[in-house]
Amino acid sequence: MRVKIMTVFVGAVCLLATGCGSEGGQDDTKPKLAGPLLPQKVTEPKSVPDLEPSASPSADATFAENVAYELEGKTIDMAGFGGETVGRCPDDLGSKAGTTAVCTVAYEGIKVEWDVTIGEKGWSDNIVEYQASPRQGILARDGLARLMFGNNSDLDYALCNDIPKAVLVPLGETTYKCEEVFKGKEPFGYTQPVRVTDAGPRIY
């Protein structure tokens, strides 16, 4: 009886060691995909332009021009990547507290509207506080790539669902998704939603 038990045990070890697999000789060692792979391959940007507006206002710029310039910088922060910007505020926008206006910033041709409310003057007559909220967000593909590669030094590339160079989106979670693929690894279909905040893109 002891010999029979040992024979069965050794036989089982032999079968496992030979890797016979499942029926039909199929190889089950490759992990199954968690979902379909996304079509767009996103790589690290080769260069990162300055995160500054295209042109600063002149020394004699109006109050409206200065606010528009500030909003250009905020729009670039939201995109997370430098680009051509053109800001416009109503010419009659004044520095009186409580004044409201809608200003527009075009980033790479995509227009973002900002609701602006002028606040009190600061510690100097030349300093005026204001609040600005974007009506929609802007997603820049290179800005998202800059975020992903900046956070993960081992990232090889990402797979996304056809994110344009720049696109207007709602703030918060968007319809865009990406899967981060690390060096030496294969994609397996696990995607994460892309989000947009007024401080830049996010993925989680």
Side-chain angles (χ1 to χ4, degrees):
M1 180 65 68
R2 180 175 301 174
V3 174
K4 290 182 179 179
I5 292 176
M6 290 299 293
T7 301
V8 172
F9 178 76
V10 172
V13 172
C14 180
L15 288 173
L16 291 174
T18 56
C20 296
S22 60
E23 293 183 4
Q26 295 179 352
D27 184 7
D28 291 338
T29 59
K30 188 175 182 179
K32 294 181 179 179
L33 294 178
L37 299 184
L38 298 178
Q40 181 187 42
K41 185 176 183 179
V42 175
T43 56
E44 185 174 11
K46 295 181 178 179
S47 61
V48 179
D50 293 335
L51 300 180
E52 297 290 341
S54 302
S56 58
S58 61
D60 60 348
T62 65
F63 179 75
E65 290 172 333
N66 280 290
V67 173
Y69 175 76
E70 292 286 329
L71 294 177
E72 288 183 42
K74 290 180 178 294
T75 303
I76 291 175
D77 289 341
M78 182 163 50
F81 201 80
E84 183 178 353
T85 54
V86 179
R88 293 284 186 272
C89 285
D91 293 337
D92 60 353
L93 177 62
S95 59
K96 181 180 179 180
T99 300
T100 61
V102 177
C103 299
T104 302
V105 175
Y107 172 91
E108 294 292 328
I110 306 296
K111 292 183 178 180
V112 181
E113 291 184 325
W114 290 81
D115 290 316
V116 177
T117 301
I118 305 302
E120 302 293 338
K121 289 187 176 182
W123 53 270
S124 168
D125 287 341
N126 295 325
I127 304 297
V128 177
E129 299 176 349
Y130 70 95
Q131 293 181 342
S133 301
R135 292 184 172 183
Q136 285 185 283
I138 191 162
L139 174 63
R141 182 177 61 238
D142 284 341
L144 178 62
R146 176 173 169 263
L147 169 80
M148 292 189 293
F149 283 90
N151 288 344
N152 300 293
S153 59
D154 291 331
L155 187 63
D156 190 11
Y157 61 92
L159 294 179
C160 303
N161 56 339
D162 295 326
I163 301 175
K165 180 179 180 181
V167 61
L168 205 61
V169 295
L171 288 169
E173 185 172 331
T174 71
T175 59
Y176 295 102
K177 300 178 184 298
C178 290
E179 176 185 3
E180 296 173 307
V181 183
F182 293 90
K183 296 174 183 177
K185 304 295 183 181
E186 294 291 332
F188 59 94
Y190 177 74
T191 63
Q192 299 183 82
V194 174
R195 304 170 190 270
V196 170
T197 74
D198 56 7
R202 301 288 186 268
I203 179 168
Y204 60 88

